[in-house]
Amino acid sequence: MPSRVSPEREGLDAQRQEVAHALAGYLQKKKRKPASEIQIYADRIRSGEHDDFMRQISFALQDQSRLIMADLGGEPAEAQSPGITTLLLMHDANVQHKSAPSRQGQQRARQDPQTVLASLDQMVASQKEESFVTIPEPYLPCTASLESLEVIKLSHLTTETHHRGKSLFIERIGPLIETSILTLGAVKDVDGDAEAIEIYHADPHLADMLPPSTLFFLKEPFLTLGINGKSVIRVDHPTDVVDIDSLPKSLSSIASDQSATLTALEWKEIGNGYFTKQEYFKAGQAYQSALKAGAEDRLRLDVSRNLARVELALGKYEAARMSAIAAVSNDGSDPNLKALDVKAYFRAASASYQLRDWEQCEADLQKLLVLSPNDDDGVRLLGRVQARLSEQETESYDFLQLVKRLSRQQPRVDIADFTKRTLIGSSKGRGRGLYAAEDIKLGELILVEKAFVATFEWESTTSSTKVYDVRPKKFDGFPAALWQGIVQKMQHTAPQTVAEISRLTGRYSGLGSKTLRVDGSQVVDAFQIHDIIAANAFAIPSPAKTQKTEAFGVMKTILPAGADSAKAMNVPDNCALFQYASLVNHSCLPNATRMFIGDAMVLRATKGIAKGEEILHAYVLPSLGVTQRQMRTEAVWGFRCDCKLCEADTKESEEVRERRAAAEEEAGRLANDIVTHLADAAQRSNIIRQAERLYARLKGTFDPALYEGLPRGGTTPIQAALAQVYCLRGEQSRCKTMIVEAFDCLGWTLSLHKAGGEARDLLSSKASYQTRACEEMVGLLGTACRMLRENKKDRKLAEQVRELARTIYIALNSVDNGIGGIDAELDSSRKMASLPLR
């Protein structure tokens, strides 16, 4: 007797059939997909082996219908799930990864160039439809020299295999297409066998370096499946590509069998021609060819000087300085050579300035000015570099001017780093951290650092991209432009800087801090850089905005069927990596706060920091609930915060946390209403009593034993509103009591009794108490200032309070931009407006 199928099973089978049919119809009508491709997805859904995929597709199809109906009705609506194209790509990546072990070691099939080029067109179409990248299991870049590798042919490749100790000698065919962070192309070997190739983080001048028909080596090739499900040679580390035949064949206009016999002078003239046309990469190749062809004496100096100019334009600053110094004749007897030496020194100084080696830049310029004391360019650059030297020694920054100069056209600042107040040390359980090298007062500058690389969304079409990472088996949004920018820059960066960046913490250690230069290139592990960015990068605001931002890491993007759209990908538009500030560890009760000016981070103390104390700032917004804070730190940075505040919060019952959250939300609304309609609220005793009862209710949610020594920041908004009401009603004693109590709840002792000393002396940390600094502190002090001005004997104290408000404003905002508005508020003694931060 046949077994009976359960109703649940029948219902699920029916759902699979329905979703498979609906998806097939969508792909046929909307996407014009070929029948063979549609059948693959339909069969997978019907098989029952991919029910998660089926449910996501089902939800996405419903979402699509909802958006269409909303559009027809003229209603605004946002998608609540990834697009169907994205889901298909994610699913394909997942299937390919799971099936990789079964394919490993299989012999690849021979392909003719026409077939591969046709396949390349399909790959490009898929990428244009949806920017998407799969990150495989990390593997090391080749660290062996080319001459030590065995040369093999395409026919020797096997699938899902890293061919260690081998290299391919291949020829580029067809076009190179840049898409997202990868470049798609095709190659063939001497047997006419062909294959597609994906090169990630390629040199921006790859098309010039490898024009059609160029022969080159590929070290330790990896054969896998591409985005279209067909075989492809994947190159994640750009230094695995070595062009060994660049002289005649990379310069198409002169490629010939006789080109190798060109003289150094002929190569120089060819380079000059390319330079005139602003084809700097080709010009550089020609100048290099001139040096290899034996340029001597004056010709060698001319070529080296020209090469330095080209390398400056290409951003190869280390090489540019070496070429410029090689162009110095040190012959003061010849006026012409003396003038050319001035040019060489200026190019050397310009390269040193871009390398942020201020002392070397100044030394180069001093030599220039000995030869030509009135050289305008040299004098101007000397002024700039001396300003940088002053900044790094004396923190003499003009933050207001820096902010005013920012724009979308110029989002980066020209400043030196200031780090002398901090030292790197070992932090228990956290790896490395930054420590105070001296006592630092509230509001004082801790450090200023310009980003190693910063990217802004309007500068790149690949600022972020969808990524499937096979390790956590999750789909992430990732700042692709930042990743690519760092990988490319590190290939032309001094080994010391490469080592410092590589020492930053990441999930995958890769090459560690070891630096290797092989076959003329600095070896960089792209996967290691990916994980360093994930754990250490920061979101930064656009120049016109001033909001505070989180450290971000990788933003999770996967959306299960029916998930909250708030969990969708939220990759910051602009982001940056800092090699020094990235060492600052997290605390939910930080002693420092950060702000960004363009691509620079400014870190200030939000309390007094003693010499030897660790510098800490909050990776996530401290105002978030403990569950959100811990989920965020665990998901992104791999640790679960166990600070005393998190410990206290987690010991509370869920009922207490919910009750407090509801009271905080209600108190926040009432506080906003009171401040917005202050004069009216001050006349209504019922509103004041309601606020007082709400404050008492909120304060009662904190267990005194559990929160002993910990701040209770959720009470501050309603305290600040009540203080303003009491001040306006002339109830000075109640006003003062409320302000002092508000600071007490944040872990501070505020003295409003006697003037004298510095403004900071009015505020001190409570004994054995952790503190919190928040925006409302400035408003509370503004209220205190107005209250104290009412009595003649307290006006000196009022000015001290005013200065303390300014100090805290700067501590919280890191820069004093906008403080004029605060001063105007404080100068209006009867005006009871709130004092919002920028």
Side-chain angles (χ1 to χ4, degrees):
M1 183 175 181
S3 60
R4 184 174 179 179
V5 179
S6 68
E8 293 81 3
R9 174 69 179 274
E10 287 183 347
L12 188 56
D13 285 341
Q15 184 184 7
R16 289 167 183 155
Q17 290 287 350
E18 182 182 350
V19 174
H21 180 74
L23 177 62
Y26 176 84
L27 294 178
Q28 182 180 13
K29 294 177 182 178
K30 297 291 185 182
K31 297 297 182 180
R32 309 293 184 190
K33 296 283 187 182
S36 57
E37 185 176 335
I38 293 172
Q39 190 64 40
I40 289 173
Y41 293 118
D43 288 346
R44 285 179 185 173
I45 290 175
R46 293 190 184 101
S47 72
E49 296 178 6
H50 306 279
D51 280 350
D52 285 344
F53 171 60
M54 181 268 292
R55 293 187 183 96
Q56 290 177 1
I57 288 292
S58 176
F59 187 82
L61 288 168
Q62 294 173 36
D63 201 23
Q64 183 78 12
S65 298
R66 181 184 62 82
L67 292 173
I68 292 172
M69 294 303 295
D71 185 57
L72 291 173
E75 300 174 2
E78 293 184 359
Q80 296 179 356
S81 68
I84 292 174
T85 302
T86 299
L87 286 174
L88 297 181
L89 289 167
M90 290 177 174
H91 178 62
D92 286 343
N94 197 23
V95 170
Q96 285 181 19
H97 172 60
K98 287 181 177 179
S99 62
S102 65
R103 295 193 306 275
Q104 189 170 18
Q106 293 180 2
Q107 193 69 35
R108 65 173 287 278
R110 179 187 174 89
Q111 299 185 87
D112 62 79
Q114 290 73 27
T115 301
V116 172
L117 290 173
S119 173
L120 184 64
D121 290 338
Q122 295 176 14
M123 294 170 71
V124 172
S126 296
Q127 276 291 303
K128 286 182 177 178
E129 187 173 10
E130 190 76 31
S131 179
F132 184 87
V133 170
T134 303
I135 301 178
E137 291 287 351
Y139 64 93
L140 291 171
C142 181
T143 57
S145 65
L146 188 60
E147 63 183 2
S148 69
L149 302 177
E150 177 190 351
V151 180
I152 60 174
K153 297 179 182 179
L154 290 172
S155 59
H156 296 136
L157 297 182
T158 58
T159 57
E160 305 302 332
T161 303
H162 298 281
H163 297 78
R164 296 299 183 186
K166 316 290 185 183
S167 69
L168 287 171
F169 186 50
I170 44 184
E171 176 185 345
R172 190 203 128 190
I173 59 174
L176 280 178
I177 301 102
E178 292 184 25
T179 167
S180 182
I181 59 172
L182 68 121
T183 300
L184 298 167
V187 295
K188 69 176 183 179
D189 63 14
V190 293
D191 292 338
D193 194 1
E195 191 58 87
I197 188 169
E198 293 178 354
I199 303 176
Y200 290 77
H201 317 294
D203 188 290
H205 303 283
L206 183 67
D208 289 330
M209 187 171 78
L210 299 179
S213 301
T214 297
L215 295 167
F216 66 98
F217 280 106
L218 179 60
K219 300 163 76 171
E220 299 186 334
F222 172 42
L223 185 70
T224 184
L225 294 184
I227 53 179
N228 62 346
K230 297 182 179 179
S231 64
V232 65
I233 301 171
R234 176 168 178 142
V235 185
D236 288 277
H237 310 293
T239 50
D240 287 347
V241 176
V242 181
D243 176 17
I244 53 89
D245 199 17
S246 61
L247 299 188
K249 295 192 176 182
S250 64
L251 303 173
S252 57
S253 66
I254 57 168
S256 68
D257 294 336
Q258 291 75 38
S259 59
T261 63
L262 293 175
T263 66
L265 181 59
E266 289 171 326
W267 277 119
K268 177 200 168 188
E269 294 305 320
I270 290 168
N272 290 347
Y274 281 125
F275 184 86
T276 301
K277 293 185 289 185
Q278 297 185 339
E279 296 183 36
Y280 298 126
F281 185 85
K282 292 180 180 179
Q285 286 186 310
Y287 293 141
Q288 291 281 9
S289 297
L291 294 175
K292 291 177 182 178
E296 296 180 351
D297 302 327
R298 178 71 177 268
L299 179 59
R300 179 182 61 80
L301 298 178
D302 289 344
V303 170
S304 296
R305 189 171 54 255
N306 291 354
L307 181 58
R309 176 66 183 85
V310 165
E311 289 165 337
L312 280 171
L314 294 174
K316 300 179 179 181
Y317 302 120
E318 290 280 352
R321 188 175 187 283
M322 292 177 62
S323 297
I325 293 301
V328 176
S329 71
N330 290 314
D331 186 351
S333 62
D334 186 335
N336 291 327
L337 285 176
K338 184 177 177 180
L340 294 174
D341 283 351
V342 169
K343 278 188 177 182
Y345 276 126
F346 184 77
R347 290 171 187 175
S350 298
S352 296
Y353 193 94
Q354 294 299 327
L355 292 167
R356 304 176 63 73
D357 188 344
W358 315 121
E359 290 82 1
Q360 184 61 63
C361 179
E362 184 181 41
D364 291 336
L365 289 170
Q366 295 292 2
K367 292 176 182 177
L368 180 157
L369 294 172
V370 167
L371 298 175
S372 179
N374 298 318
D375 183 85
D376 290 342
D377 291 335
V379 170
R380 276 194 297 270
L381 186 55
L382 182 62
R384 289 174 62 191
V385 76
Q386 287 177 341
R388 303 293 82 80
L389 287 166
S390 177
E391 288 166 352
Q392 75 175 9
E393 288 299 317
T394 65
E395 59 179 294
S396 55
Y397 298 96
D398 188 341
F399 290 124
L400 278 175
Q401 284 302 313
L402 289 173
V403 171
K404 288 178 181 178
R405 290 172 188 158
L406 289 177
S407 66
R408 286 174 66 91
Q409 291 72 36
Q410 188 57 45
R412 296 172 178 82
V413 294
D414 181 17
I415 57 171
D417 298 340
F418 175 75
T419 59
K420 62 186 297 184
R421 279 189 170 163
T422 58
L423 296 170
I424 299 174
S426 178
S427 179
K428 186 177 180 180
R430 304 167 184 249
R432 294 187 299 162
L434 285 190
Y435 291 80
E438 60 186 62
D439 291 343
I440 304 173
K441 296 179 181 179
L442 166 68
E444 286 188 335
L445 202 61
I446 298 173
L447 66 83
V448 177
E449 184 183 5
K450 183 178 169 72
F452 177 68
V453 173
T455 55
F456 296 87
E457 57 90 14
W458 59 86
E459 296 179 330
S460 171
T461 57
T462 62
S463 57
S464 66
T465 192
K466 296 181 182 68
V467 173
Y468 175 67
D469 191 336
V470 302
R471 291 168 294 171
K473 296 180 174 59
K474 290 185 182 294
F475 301 100
D476 304 328
F478 200 76
L482 182 65
W483 187 14
Q484 180 162 284
I486 293 173
V487 171
Q488 292 177 350
K489 181 174 180 178
M490 286 182 70
Q491 294 174 63
H492 307 293
T493 299
Q496 180 182 353
T497 303
V498 172
E500 289 172 358
I501 294 291
S502 300
R503 285 192 69 192
L504 294 176
T505 303
R507 178 172 43 178
Y508 165 70
S509 58
L511 293 173
S513 58
K514 179 171 59 177
T515 59
L516 294 168
R517 191 166 185 84
V518 181
D519 294 324
S521 298
Q522 176 70 53
V523 179
V524 178
D525 189 327
F527 298 115
Q528 183 180 358
I529 299 304
H530 172 279
D531 284 10
I532 285 172
I533 291 171
N536 296 278
F538 290 84
I540 57 177
S542 298
K545 299 178 181 178
T546 55
Q547 77 273 18
K548 295 183 180 181
T549 61
E550 287 190 6
F552 66 95
V554 178
M555 297 297 191
K556 302 304 176 187
T557 63
I558 189 167
L559 277 177
D564 182 357
S565 62
K567 295 179 181 177
M569 182 174 66
N570 183 26
V571 180
D573 292 334
N574 319 311
C575 42
L577 181 70
F578 299 84
Q579 69 183 68
Y580 192 76
S582 292
L583 297 175
V584 181
N585 286 310
H586 163 79
S587 174
C588 295
L589 294 171
N591 54 21
T593 189
R594 63 183 176 271
M595 187 62 71
F596 298 93
I597 304 177
D599 64 336
M601 181 192 294
V602 181
L603 197 70
R604 286 190 186 271
T606 53
K607 60 175 288 186
I609 303 173
K611 180 179 179 180
E613 186 178 347
E614 186 172 5
I615 309 296
L616 301 166
H617 64 171
Y619 288 5
V620 298
L621 300 176
S623 57
L624 292 175
V626 62
T627 303
Q628 290 175 289
R629 294 199 308 270
Q630 292 192 332
M631 283 178 59
R632 185 98 173 91
T633 57
E634 189 169 30
V636 178
W637 297 281
F639 71 89
R640 193 174 184 86
C641 185
D642 59 356
C643 70
K644 292 187 180 297
L645 183 62
C646 285
E647 183 182 348
D649 286 347
T650 51
K651 283 182 179 178
E652 292 179 318
S653 68
E654 186 65 31
E655 184 273 331
V656 170
R657 288 203 295 269
E658 289 177 357
R659 187 152 45 91
R660 180 183 304 136
E664 284 181 351
E665 185 177 357
E666 187 178 349
R669 286 197 301 267
L670 184 58
N672 183 66
D673 289 343
I674 289 173
V675 171
T676 304
H677 309 287
L678 188 58
D680 179 57
Q683 304 300 317
R684 298 175 62 186
S685 297
N686 63 321
I687 294 294
I688 298 170
R689 285 195 298 271
Q690 181 185 350
E692 290 169 339
R693 286 195 300 269
L694 189 53
Y695 168 48
R697 192 177 106 205
L698 182 56
K699 190 165 63 169
T701 64
F702 292 96
D703 183 338
L706 200 57
Y707 283 89
E708 177 65 29
L710 293 172
R712 303 175 295 281
T715 61
T716 317
I718 196 70
Q719 288 170 319
L722 283 169
Q724 291 195 55
V725 167
Y726 296 150
C727 183
L728 188 60
R729 287 162 67 103
E731 299 176 12
Q732 294 194 6
S733 177
R734 297 182 75 186
C735 177
K736 183 183 292 186
T737 299
M738 182 58 66
I739 292 171
V740 170
E741 186 172 336
F743 274 83
D744 181 83
C745 286
L746 294 170
W748 303 94
T749 297
L750 177 66
S751 174
L752 294 178
H753 302 291
K754 186 178 179 180
E758 292 185 14
R760 292 186 184 91
D761 295 339
L762 299 176
L763 189 66
S764 60
S765 302
K766 293 169 62 179
S768 303
Y769 212 102
Q770 298 190 56
T771 62
R772 172 172 284 176
C774 64
E775 298 177 352
E776 289 84 4
M777 291 169 67
V778 179
L780 285 161
L781 290 172
T783 302
C785 180
R786 298 184 189 94
M787 176 195 70
L788 292 167
R789 281 180 179 157
E790 296 302 307
N791 294 321
K792 187 174 181 180
K793 63 182 181 64
D794 288 332
R795 286 177 185 169
K796 185 175 180 181
L797 178 59
E799 289 308 304
Q800 243 185 301
V801 170
R802 167 186 170 139
E803 186 56 35
L804 180 60
R806 290 170 56 90
T807 299
I808 293 176
Y809 177 93
I810 293 172
L812 290 171
N813 286 274
S814 287
V815 295
D816 58 1
N817 187 43
I819 206 167
I822 300 298
D823 284 340
E825 290 284 353
L826 294 174
D827 285 337
S828 302
S829 61
R830 300 299 299 176
K831 184 178 180 182
M832 301 305 294
S834 62
L835 297 174
L837 293 183
R838 295 184 298 107

